[in-house]
Amino acid sequence: MIQQTSLLELAFQSKSRVTNREICLAEMEGVVPWAELVAVIEPVYPAGQRGGPPIGTERRLRLYCASQGLNHRL
């Protein structure tokens, strides 16, 4: 089945400039050993027995690192 391309996808395809955010995230992906960091953090990460379900360990770590990296690049 052929899926129709959305207007948003077309807008991103025509984008020629690479943003600082994309550069920073690409650098982090190549440098940070995510699996090893998650293995160290996971034993002390909250299990989420009260309240809503917690955000995954790797997702929270990536969000934190991205926010720190983007703040330092500006």
Side-chain angles (χ1 to χ4, degrees):
M1 177 186 248
I2 299 173
Q3 186 172 356
Q4 184 176 359
T5 305
S6 72
L7 186 59
L8 184 62
E9 290 171 337
L10 288 174
F12 280 122
Q13 287 175 358
S14 65
K15 185 179 89 161
S16 61
R17 182 175 174 268
V18 179
T19 64
N20 284 339
R21 176 180 176 265
E22 291 170 334
I23 294 169
C24 181
L25 292 175
E27 287 175 4
M28 278 183 22
E29 192 62 39
V31 174
V32 177
W34 296 111
E36 290 86 2
L37 289 174
V38 169
V40 170
I41 294 170
E42 215 154 37
V44 294
Y45 190 71
Q49 290 142 353
R50 291 187 289 170
I55 297 175
T57 309
E58 185 171 349
R59 178 179 282 176
R60 182 167 297 235
L61 178 63
R62 285 177 180 264
L63 288 169
Y64 177 76
C65 291
S67 68
Q68 297 303 308
L70 291 175
N71 287 338
H72 290 293
R73 286 185 73 86
L74 298 176

